[in-house]
Amino acid sequence: MKRIAVLASGNGSNLQAILDAVDSGEIQGGAVTLVVSDRKNAYALERARIKGIQTKHQSALRYTSREEYDRDLVTYLEEQEIDLVVLAGFMRLLSPYFVLAFNHRILNIHPSLLPAFPGGHGVADALAYGVKVSGCTVHFVDEGMDTGPIILQEAVPVLEKDTAESLHQRIHALEYKLYPRAIDLWVRGKLKIQGRRCIIDEN
Ligand code: GRF
């Protein structure tokens, strides 16, 4: 059974979708054993508490550098024997130290069709640019901002009446299907990385 840590800064609706997918058996061979947040009041922490899952709040305030923060967090994740780190709305860029410590064991979901519109405002940026199609991307995390090998990607049409909120809502609905699917593939050992490409090996 793979031990999964979810890192989240906010609402945690993707966390909820992952927890539901573990319950329903859609994710097999893995369980969320820890939820970490840099924000004390993140609702993601509450979602974990409701399910009786261990939580940790690690504020960035008492750290002077990103790496110092990450070193403490990596130590904790290793103590907890975490196999896979899942970023779900975690609003911090990971340092090279963290990425190396969990090489090919960190996933992220991003609300655009990468490599278009990386960063913290992917939905609003896509809308402002005037694209007709957007979507979401699950990818491995490397040292860049939303740049790692892509695991799964799906599109949604952008409607003329869309606001950033309405578009994000439709993207969210897609995320709740895509992220559990990608996590299930990872825990079952079905993902192979070849350079920038991630091959899904269903055999
Ligand atoms: C999602 O849209 C995800 O793509 C992005 O942050 C958002 C998190 O939402 N990385 P939630 O906290 O899971 O509701």
Side-chain angles (χ1 to χ4, degrees), residues 78-138:
E78 285 172 349
E79 278 168 13
Q80 298 299 314
E81 299 179 343
I82 294 302
D83 297 297
L84 176 67
V85 175
V86 169
L87 308 183
F90 190 58
M91 301 309 282
R92 292 177 58 80
L93 187 65
L94 303 188
S95 63
Y97 176 83
F98 194 140
V99 173
L100 198 66
F102 279 88
N103 194 25
H104 297 165
R105 296 192 293 146
I106 313 171
L107 309 185
N108 184 41
I109 191 155
H110 182 76
S112 77
L113 292 177
L114 291 171
F117 311 114
H121 310 282
V123 178
D125 290 349
L127 194 65
Y129 193 91
V131 296
K132 302 294 186 190
V133 176
S134 192
C136 66
T137 306
V138 182

Side-chain angles (χ1 to χ4, degrees), residues 126-127 130-134 156-164 166-168 170:
L127 194 65
V131 296
K132 302 294 186 190
V133 176
S134 192
V156 294
V158 179
L159 309 178
E160 273 168 20
K161 59 176 173 24
D162 260 334
T163 60
S166 66
L167 179 57
H168 205 162
R170 288 208 310 292

